[in-house]
């Protein structure tokens, strides 16, 4: 496995590595692991894996004709499996366009079911997020309306509940029980924090 990556894992040689995994070693799990590892370098690598199973190039094209291995043959079951397991990583239109006319209806159904389940789950999650945002927005608006409706008039001759001096034009705050306090006095008096306006 590491030998394959060392010899063929460089940029542009992914198809050779995939060919080795798919048609020489015949290990679909390793081929998929390879694709996950190099997906950031090549976002079409799962599509290449799909094509490698469905319509593999000849040994000569791959440069493997010097080795004594049998010519790669299409493996439609593996190609369908790649489509179903990794449809998020493959352009759906391209994947469907590659389906040969003789594809079993049950295989097409598996692919569509996987896509629809994912689409439905994503849609449901988005609807839940939208509802949560709406609920949060309504909660904030309700709290704001509640706070805005709880107003009272403070006059310059009203006294601070901590220092007993007139509040005048100073910055003030008030406690939920409507006691007024100078902003500077609020740490000296009641431990219950006042509301600020």
């Amino acid at each position: 496995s590491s030998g394959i990556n060392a010899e063929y894992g460089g940029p542009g040689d992914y198809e050779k590595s995939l060919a080795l995994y798919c048609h020489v070693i015949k290990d679909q799990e390793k081929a998929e692991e390879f694709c996950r590892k190099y997906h950031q370098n090549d976002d079409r690598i799962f599509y290449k894996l799909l094509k490698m199973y469905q319509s593999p190039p000849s040994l000569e094209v791959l440069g493997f004709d010097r080795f004594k291995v049998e010519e790669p043959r299409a493996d439609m079951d593996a190609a369908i499996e790649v489509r179903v397991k990794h449809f998020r990583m493959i352009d759906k239109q391209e994947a469907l366009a590659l389906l040969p006319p003789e594809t079993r209806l049950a295989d097409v159904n598996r692919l569509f079911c996987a896509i629809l389940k994912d689409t439905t789950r994503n849609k449901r999650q988005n609807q839940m997020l939208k509802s949560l945002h709406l609920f949060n927005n309504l909660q904030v608006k309700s709290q704001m309306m509640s706070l805005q409706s709880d107003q009272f008039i403070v006059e310059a001759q009203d006294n601070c509940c901590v220092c007993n001096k007139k509040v005048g034009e100073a910055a003030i705050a008030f406690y939920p029980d409507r006691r007024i306090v100078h902003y500077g006095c609020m740490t000296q008096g009641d431990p219950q924090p006042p509301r600020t306006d």
Side-chain angles (χ1 to χ4, degrees):
S1 168
S2 60
I4 290 173
N5 292 350
E7 185 175 349
Y8 295 108
D13 286 335
Y14 297 138
E15 289 177 45
K16 289 181 181 178
S17 297
L18 290 174
L20 284 169
Y21 283 123
C22 297
H23 301 294
V24 178
I25 299 172
K26 298 184 184 197
D27 189 337
Q28 185 175 349
E29 194 174 303
K30 290 278 188 197
E32 291 174 17
E33 184 182 314
F34 179 84
C35 288
R36 282 189 290 275
K37 181 177 180 181
Y38 290 102
H39 182 258
Q40 286 190 331
N41 298 351
D42 183 354
D43 63 353
R44 293 181 52 83
I45 198 162
F46 281 98
Y47 178 75
K48 290 175 183 175
L49 175 64
L50 169 62
K51 280 187 74 172
M52 188 59 65
Y53 277 123
Q54 189 165 322
S55 52
S58 69
L59 289 175
E60 186 179 354
V61 169
L62 292 168
F64 295 163
D65 51 343
R66 66 181 184 266
F67 303 113
K68 293 186 182 198
V69 292
E70 61 180 80
E71 194 69 34
R73 283 187 239 140
D75 184 347
M76 289 307 296
D77 290 335
I80 291 293
E81 201 60 36
V82 168
R83 276 184 182 89
V84 170
K85 284 172 70 177
H86 304 289
F87 66 87
R88 288 182 203 94
M89 306 292 195
I90 303 169
D91 181 89
K92 289 162 193 62
Q93 288 181 333
E94 286 182 326
L96 291 173
L98 277 179
L99 282 172
E102 65 272 7
T103 304
R104 295 178 302 234
L105 189 57
D107 291 334
V108 175
N109 188 42
R110 279 181 59 211
L111 176 60
F112 283 139
C113 282
I115 292 170
L116 287 173
K117 278 182 187 176
D118 188 62
T119 303
T120 303
R121 185 179 64 241
N122 286 344
K123 187 174 181 180
R124 198 173 305 126
Q125 285 175 341
N126 288 339
Q127 285 174 335
M128 285 178 58
L129 282 174
K130 187 177 176 181
S131 294
L132 285 172
H133 287 304
L134 180 63
F135 178 73
N136 190 32
N137 189 19
L138 289 173
Q139 241 184 344
V140 168
K141 282 184 179 180
S142 173
Q143 287 173 343
M144 192 172 87
M145 286 172 54
S146 172
L147 290 173
Q148 286 176 343
S149 68
D150 188 23
Q151 296 177 2
F152 64 95
I153 298 171
V154 177
E155 297 191 13
Q157 60 268 21
D158 289 337
N159 290 337
C160 169
C161 68
V162 174
C163 70
N164 278 329
K165 294 182 182 173
K166 295 191 184 315
V167 291
E169 301 281 326
I172 62 164
F174 64 93
Y175 291 99
D177 63 0
R178 298 180 166 287
R179 289 179 296 144
I180 301 167
V181 62
H182 286 114
Y183 197 76
C185 295
M186 63 184 183
T187 56
Q188 300 169 15
D190 198 308
Q192 183 184 24
R195 289 176 19 193
T196 57
D197 276 351

